Amino acid sequence: MDHLDPYKCVIGNALLLTKNIKTVVNKSSTIDNTFRNFSMELLAGEKELIVSVKESGFVFNVDFSLVYWNPRLSTEHKRITQLLGPRSILFDACAGVGPFTVPSGKVCRVYSN
């Protein structure tokens, strides 16, 4: 959406008027590294990238500048977790901050990095 670039700071400041929004960032690059994070440009508000994200009844405190988080995967995390039972064993070599493994730990044995 390059056509919006001249207005990005205006848009950022307008978003700050929304309840509970304190920081507005713009992805300044695509995901291009091993850790699947990306560069961000602060458009408006506080330079605070540590946020609390709630998924599956758990609160994860993450630094968006350091980790990959995709809220669109929450449905898939929940779907897979519902397939597990007390006799299941889950191995997750790419657990990241744990939005899949933490809820799974309530229903089965989990091994993750």
Side-chain angles (χ1 to χ4, degrees):
M1 292 203 235
D2 293 334
H3 67 283
L4 296 176
D5 275 351
Y7 310 103
K8 60 187 176 185
C9 290
V10 173
I11 294 168
N13 283 310
L15 288 170
L16 283 180
L17 300 175
T18 304
K19 183 179 179 183
N20 295 326
I21 293 181
K22 297 178 183 164
T23 304
V24 180
V25 297
N26 183 35
K27 290 192 328 187
S28 55
S29 69
T30 58
I31 297 171
D32 61 356
N33 61 49
T34 304
F35 302 106
R36 299 193 69 193
N37 56 359
F38 45 83
S39 300
M40 288 182 266
E41 169 189 19
L42 179 67
L43 297 182
E46 303 169 13
K47 188 178 180 180
E48 179 60 60
L49 300 176
I50 299 173
V51 299
S52 295
V53 182
K54 188 173 183 180
E55 183 176 311
S56 301
F58 294 90
V59 177
F60 297 89
N61 296 309
V62 298
D63 184 335
F64 266 104
S65 67
L66 300 176
V67 301
Y68 174 76
W69 184 278
N70 186 344
R72 291 176 287 195
L73 294 175
S74 63
T75 303
E76 182 67 2
H77 296 153
K78 184 176 180 180
R79 185 184 75 78
I80 297 298
T81 301
Q82 290 173 339
L83 296 174
L84 302 171
R87 297 186 57 163
S88 300
I89 300 174
L90 173 69
F91 292 90
D92 188 351
C94 302
V97 296
F100 177 61
T101 55
V102 171
S104 297
K106 290 188 82 173
V107 294
C108 72
R109 183 176 296 227
V110 174
Y111 296 93
S112 64
N113 64 343

